Amino acid sequence: MRELNAKIILLGEATVGKSSIILQYFENRFEENIPNTIGTAFLTKNIERNDTSLKMNVWDTCGQERFMAIASIYYKDANVILLVIDCTNEKSLEQAEKYLEEIHSNASSNCTLVLLVNKVDLLPGYREGQEVDERLKGKCDFYEKIKKFKSKNNFDAMFWISAKDGTGVKDIFDFVANGALNGQIRIAESGSKTNARRLLAQSITHRNSNKSQGGCC
């Protein structure tokens, strides 16, 4: 069977919901108070389709600005970067600009870049399960700035989501999985000892389990 090994990194300011997104995707639940991630942590999920097996290694990074340069070493070989902002906090968009500078300096030119706008459940008039349409997005105080930010930086995709109730969360990882399996997202075939050693070395000082054990919310 053909095997692919994808490295997926979540970036963004502390409190934008990175760990909550991961918890919602892997365990279908939400916690109000999740301790800040220290350094990085990752979880894995295997997806098989036809004759191909895809291992998605999803990394959660610390969102504190003083650790930004340190975190950059973890996404140099990332296949997908999920840049997260909070639709109720304009500062998170300003911080995303700084992350983009690090991404352009460190990430591969082949890396797929996705913008996630989290916490839509906090927008006025939101109802769980409803479509996140332009009317609802327009209730974000800095919606026009988000649109300009996406257009200016040529993101491959953008999702408006709620890590709290799960709205749009599965769609993110379906997009990544489908892109990897269809060849639209460039993923090197795994199985080489070099790749295995690098992943093992990274995991020694960080969490690697099928259960989330906290992180930056």
Side-chain angles (χ1 to χ4, degrees), residues 23 27 34-35 43 207-209 211-215:
L23 185 63
E27 299 190 18
I34 301 179
L43 298 172
R207 290 165 290 170
N208 179 21
S209 68
K211 291 185 66 178
S212 179
Q213 300 176 22

Side-chain angles (χ1 to χ4, degrees), residues 102-157:
E102 292 290 325
I103 290 168
H104 294 322
S105 297
N106 295 285
S108 166
S109 59
N110 294 327
C111 180
T112 295
L113 187 58
V114 180
L115 180 63
L116 306 184
V117 186
N118 191 27
K119 303 190 181 181
V120 297
D121 53 281
L122 297 180
L123 293 175
Y126 173 82
R127 299 186 307 278
E128 183 174 345
Q130 77 174 93
E131 179 186 358
V132 183
D133 56 16
E134 293 301 307
R135 180 193 61 80
L136 182 61
K137 295 174 185 177
K139 293 186 178 181
C140 169
D141 292 338
F142 53 102
Y143 176 48
E144 293 301 322
K145 291 184 179 179
I146 293 174
K147 289 201 300 183
K148 289 179 181 178
F149 178 69
K150 177 183 181 294
S151 176
K152 173 185 174 182
N153 293 289
N154 297 315
F155 284 88
D156 295 285

Side-chain angles (χ1 to χ4, degrees), residues 34-135:
I34 301 179
N36 284 346
T37 299
I38 304 299
T40 61
F42 77 91
L43 298 172
T44 64
K45 185 166 187 174
N46 293 312
I47 296 174
E48 292 188 3
R49 183 181 301 171
N50 299 326
D51 62 343
T52 302
S53 174
L54 171 67
K55 177 182 282 188
M56 295 199 296
N57 301 293
V58 183
W59 291 73
D60 183 11
T61 61
C62 178
Q64 298 178 36
E65 186 171 2
R66 66 182 183 274
F67 295 124
M68 186 181 294
I70 297 174
S72 67
I73 66 174
Y74 292 96
Y75 54 86
K76 284 186 176 181
D77 57 350
N79 303 112
V80 180
I81 293 179
L82 307 176
L83 184 58
V84 188
I85 65 172
D86 174 350
C87 68
T88 67
N89 181 4
E90 189 170 347
K91 182 184 175 184
S92 69
L93 180 61
E94 297 170 4
Q95 194 71 3
E97 294 271 13
K98 297 180 181 179
Y99 273 108
L100 274 177
E101 294 176 8
E102 292 290 325
I103 290 168
H104 294 322
S105 297
N106 295 285
S108 166
S109 59
N110 294 327
C111 180
T112 295
L113 187 58
V114 180
L115 180 63
L116 306 184
V117 186
N118 191 27
K119 303 190 181 181
V120 297
D121 53 281
L122 297 180
L123 293 175
Y126 173 82
R127 299 186 307 278
E128 183 174 345
Q130 77 174 93
E131 179 186 358
V132 183
D133 56 16
E134 293 301 307
R135 180 193 61 80

